[in-house]
Amino acid sequence: MASYKKFVLLRIPQVVLTLVGLSILIFTLVRFIPSDPARTAIGPGASEEVYQEYREELRLDEPLHMQYIGFVQDIFNGSLGESTRTGNDVAVDIIEKLPATLELIALGFTVAVLLGIPFGIVAGLNKDRLPDHFSRFVALSGIAFPRFWLAITFQVVLVSWLGLFPLTGRISGAAPAHVTGFYTIDSLIAGNFDKFTDAVWHLILPATALGFSTFSQVTRLVRSEMIEISRADYIMTGRSQGIPEWMIAYKYMLKNAFSSTLTVLGFRIGGMLSGATFVELIFNIDGIGRYTLASIVRLDYNAIVGVVLVLGVTYLISSAIVDMLYGYLDPRIRLEA
Amino acid sequence: MSNPILEINDLKASFKTYEGTANVLDGIDLTIHEGEAMALVGETGCGKSLTTELILDLVPAARTSGEMKFKDEVVYSPSVDERSTLRGENISIIMQDPMSSLNPVFTIGEQMTDILLFGGGEKSPIDYLKHKLTRNGAERKKARERAREVLNEVQISSPERVLSSYPSELSGGMRQRILIGMALLADPDLLIADEPGTALDVTTEKKILEILKDIVDNRDTSVIYITHDLGVAHEVSDRVTVMYAGQVVERSPTDVIFDTPMHPYTRTLLESVPSLSTGIGEGSEGSIPSYVDVEAECRFADRCEFSEAACRGVHPGERTLDQGQSVACHLYKQDTGGRSADDTDEPYIGPPPWRTEQKRAD
Ligand SMILES: Nc1ncnc2c1ncn2[C@@H]1O[C@H](COP(=O)(O)OP(=O)(O)O)[C@@H](O)[C@H]1O
Ligand code: SF4
Ligand SMILES: [Mg+2]
């Protein structure tokens, strides 16, 4: 087990280095956009004096490396710089907007994985039979239909025609007292179960629209892994010793299939974060996706850099978790460390 | 002779491939007697592994026909298929490649105790859950004890360490021993060893063969050794069956076949330096024909210096010779059981030069 700890610890410097690299990259890149953020922020009517003052406040006249050093200093003071659009510290904005999106992703992802794995298993074990054809249809539609199309279709069919779900928003009436910003968690903390069900009810359609492509990917992946592994020599060994078929499938094949599927899941979380924008727009959810879009349109340097860093951190955390699980599932990875 | 333990009659197997149907096994007959050590010999790709895997119904992709009996009971026929019930307790296979034949994500101990506790197909998933929940101490301990025993039997000196290791932590020789041990767990009546040790270096291969031979002698099980190396067959077997391209071409007691190889293919095999260290093939030209659209009835015809039109048109049935040998080749006369040779339709293009020399010497 010592080697496993080492395996986990080894990742920490990797994570830090990646974040430094990412921040330099995005920090520099936004500054190459051929447009003037100060002018965009204060509008074309403002006087030259005000404009210059604002540029100084944003440190835009300093050389690039000085700007970056200032940015890093700010981070150590718990600030990501002021947003030229909202006037708040970007860190404050992000803390406010992120929970709505994370809540969406958490539900979408969990459901996608919990449904995708059994779907994939059944399809893989019944290759070219009915369950496999069905799963192929579902999986293909997950790839063929874009998120926004799914979202709008849900709204038309399930909301307008059938009236099964609320159309937009995160909750009916007032939000629960703020603790974490996750309405589901906050309403439970407040002991308000009605609000909890209401929040979940609001989450279902956007989470499904967001998670569907992940679900279909997981299904396809688990299916092909199961088929691949069913041909492995060690599976034949198990069978030849009389290991029953259920054990071959659900123990001997599944653990192998799942450890390769995990890698892709890590990528998907990052993908869902960037895919959340459309879903937030259509379901009118005030999350990080919409915030990002607005920041880009208004050339809000600090906000863009802040959001990208959050994306990076989320991605790194999820891939670190995946790696740890991977090491746990597959001894070969663990032992190499 | 003792009773047959396994009889295979006219086993055929084909696969659908992108190029068309590959007719790999072309009517294999095999009989193994109790306590007998048989070597199944032939070059890579001739269908040795496939033949034995089909005995335990391990190749779902194959379309198969024929008949099999285990201890006089029909286990496979057009109307019966009980082959999967033979797995483990009756027949066990030591798989060919030690590097890929152990599950990489479970410890050796877990794989072995699973065979002991759940092998045989009577246990249900509920039993498994119960076992996991109650951590069934006594039963598990007994299984681990038994696993240690077989690891001792294959001369592994630190069984406890091996049991808690994953395959990737162990050397090829170790994994090969473990595979042998696994096959012994359920005390099979017939053991099939698919190219044991071939994937390893020569010294390790020798050691593995010694261990295996000791075990077989001690336990008095019947065994099929699969090998592409007649040298190995010479060391370990009582009887040799030679296969070429999905057909049995010659059968013989081991000591006889080295003195009087009959089939032209067996002769090339012997000429190509049969020793424990070298494989075969260097000395024999050509390779096994494609199994898709095999045209010749004797599949060796393309490589045979004696082949004639008859060899491509008529399947050479097996002819029984003296000294317990039999051969499937038109160079020999069909044993007619007393009738005159003219009564059979079999073409006869022989005798082969080595036969006439021998006759003259008599
Ligand atoms: N599952 C399969 N699908 C298609 N072809 C197969 C399969 N298994 C074996 N074969 C074919 O059968 C032939 C014999 O293979 P094998 O029994 O492994 O030979 P050997 O053990 O004598 O080297 C090979 O040509 C191989 O391609
Ligand atoms: S039957 Fe004909 S081709 Fe085949 S081995 Fe005999 S002589 Fe050669
Ligand atoms: Mg083989």
Side-chain angles (χ1 to χ4, degrees), chain B residues 15 24 43-51 59 61 96 194-195 291:
Chain B
F15 296 96
V24 179
E43 70 201 86
T44 301
C46 71
K48 308 178 298 290
S49 298
L50 180 61
T51 304
V59 194
Q96 181 163 1
D194 197 343
E195 312 233 5
Y291 288 112

Side-chain angles (χ1 to χ4, degrees), chain A residues 288-299:
Chain A
I288 201 80
R290 271 173 56 179
Y291 181 79
T292 313
L293 195 63
S295 307
I296 294 173
V297 170
R298 292 289 295 276
L299 211 63

Side-chain angles (χ1 to χ4, degrees), chain A residues 129-309:
Chain A
R129 287 191 287 250
L130 193 65
D132 190 25
H133 296 314
F134 180 65
S135 90
R136 191 172 302 155
F137 172 74
V138 173
L140 277 178
S141 51
I143 291 155
F145 302 138
R147 291 193 177 98
F148 72 87
W149 186 89
L150 273 179
I152 293 170
T153 310
F154 285 165
Q155 284 185 332
V156 171
V157 178
L158 299 176
V159 181
S160 295
W161 294 358
L162 301 173
L164 294 176
F165 293 94
L167 184 63
T168 56
R170 295 177 68 193
I171 203 150
S172 324
H178 182 93
V179 185
T180 60
F182 292 78
Y183 284 2
T184 45
I185 297 176
D186 287 355
S187 57
L188 282 180
I189 291 175
N192 191 335
F193 201 72
D194 287 345
K195 274 221 179 304
F196 173 75
T197 21
D198 185 69
V200 171
W201 213 233
H202 276 82
L203 272 174
I204 289 178
L205 289 190
T208 310
L210 183 59
F212 199 70
S213 66
T214 299
F215 160 73
S216 63
Q217 270 218 343
V218 172
T219 306
R220 273 161 27 106
L221 213 73
V222 172
R223 170 189 178 273
S224 62
E225 282 297 322
M226 289 295 276
I227 291 170
E228 186 69 34
I229 288 164
S230 71
R231 304 195 182 111
D233 287 349
Y234 55 80
I235 292 305
M236 201 190 266
T237 307
R239 285 213 177 95
S240 77
Q241 317 289 6
I243 299 279
E245 213 49 46
W246 57 264
M247 199 166 187
I248 293 280
Y250 293 98
K251 179 170 180 178
Y252 281 44
M253 282 166 61
L254 191 56
K255 196 171 175 191
N256 284 284
F258 198 51
S259 55
S260 2
T261 308
L262 256 178
T263 326
V264 173
L265 291 187
F267 288 114
R268 291 308 299 173
I269 294 185
M272 283 174 102
L273 200 57
S274 42
T277 309
F278 281 125
V279 175
E280 287 176 16
L281 280 175
I282 293 166
F283 286 96
N284 194 23
I285 292 165
D286 197 8
I288 201 80
R290 271 173 56 179
Y291 181 79
T292 313
L293 195 63
S295 307
I296 294 173
V297 170
R298 292 289 295 276
L299 211 63
D300 191 342
Y301 278 10
N302 287 336
I304 296 172
V305 174
V307 164
V308 170
L309 282 184

Side-chain angles (χ1 to χ4, degrees), chain A residues 233, chain B residues 96-102 167 170-173 175-176 179 199-200:
Chain A
D233 287 349
Chain B
Q96 181 163 1
D97 184 356
M99 301 317 272
S100 62
S101 296
L102 289 165
L170 303 165
S171 69
R175 295 191 214 184
Q176 179 71 73
L179 280 169
L200 309 166

